[in-house]
Amino acid sequence: MKIRREVEQEKNELNMTSMIDIVFLLLVFFVMTFKIVEMEGDFTVRMPLAGDGQPSSTDLDLPYKLRLRADDQGSLTAIELNEINLGTDFDKLRANIVSLVGTDDPVEGEDGPEIEIDTDYNLRYAHVIQAITAVSGYRDEGTGQVIKLIEKIKFAKPRRG
């Protein structure tokens, strides 16, 4: 005959439900408080090479500033190149870029001219494409050859209101 003990041994089990709840609460907390930081500008620094001490500043050192203004409907109202108002004529913009850069082959790579395009937030994208086309180059009608003007184009954050 078997003898049964009246007191059975207690089993020590961990309650995993509360631990899983805490892990999910921590996960939700970290996901909800995570903030994605926007990159703040271009931090590439180009130091000048050691030279004979003569200052060598050219027009290519500083980027050209192109400002495109828009009305409430997104239509182009003004084009400004280095704070000079050009109206809304992209041909006049190209002519000014040609006079600033020249029609010689621009220096490729890091040393070429650079332009920064600053637009209003509600400007139609087609106007931005026209501006990029006007400053990047054109096709010579006589020879059919492509003349490159500015290859390095960067954009400023669009302005609201």
Side-chain angles (χ1 to χ4, degrees):
M1 193 169 150
K2 279 188 174 178
I3 300 175
R4 290 189 171 174
R5 293 186 194 166
E6 295 203 12
V7 177
E8 292 187 25
Q9 291 180 346
E10 292 181 16
K11 294 182 180 178
N12 288 333
E13 290 185 21
L14 292 176
N15 188 359
M16 293 300 290
T17 307
S18 61
M19 186 176 287
I20 291 172
D21 287 344
I22 290 173
V23 168
F24 279 120
L25 283 173
L26 286 172
L27 180 68
V28 168
F29 172 77
F30 286 118
V31 166
M32 298 300 276
T33 59
F34 181 70
K35 293 182 182 175
I36 298 174
V37 179
E38 212 175 288
M39 292 297 290
E40 295 186 16
D42 186 20
F43 291 108
T44 57
V45 177
R46 291 180 286 176
M47 297 297 291
L49 298 174
D52 55 357
Q54 298 292 331
S56 61
S57 65
T58 63
D59 289 340
L60 302 178
D61 290 344
L62 300 173
Y64 300 114
K65 305 282 186 188
L66 178 63
R67 175 84 170 99
L68 302 174
R69 298 185 185 273
D71 60 8
D72 293 336
Q73 288 76 31
S75 299
L76 183 68
T77 58
I79 300 172
E80 296 176 3
L81 179 64
N82 293 340
E83 299 180 3
I84 299 170
N85 192 351
L86 303 174
T88 59
D89 188 12
F90 288 104
D91 292 330
K92 192 183 283 188
L93 171 63
R94 178 178 293 134
N96 279 324
I97 292 293
V98 167
S99 68
L100 290 172
V101 175
T103 57
D104 299 337
D105 290 331
V107 179
E108 303 213 4
E110 294 292 319
D111 297 330
E114 181 176 331
I115 192 163
E116 181 180 41
I117 299 178
D118 183 13
T119 64
D120 285 341
Y121 182 77
N122 55 345
L123 181 68
R124 290 189 190 132
Y125 190 65
H127 299 301
V128 177
I129 295 297
Q130 285 177 314
I132 293 171
T133 304
V135 301
S136 63
Y138 63 95
R139 183 176 302 274
D140 188 15
E141 293 176 9
T143 62
Q145 186 178 10
V146 174
I147 309 293
K148 294 181 181 179
L149 297 174
I150 297 178
E151 293 181 347
K152 290 174 48 177
I153 299 172
K154 61 182 191 178
F155 295 92
K157 191 173 181 180
R159 298 183 188 193
R160 290 192 182 252

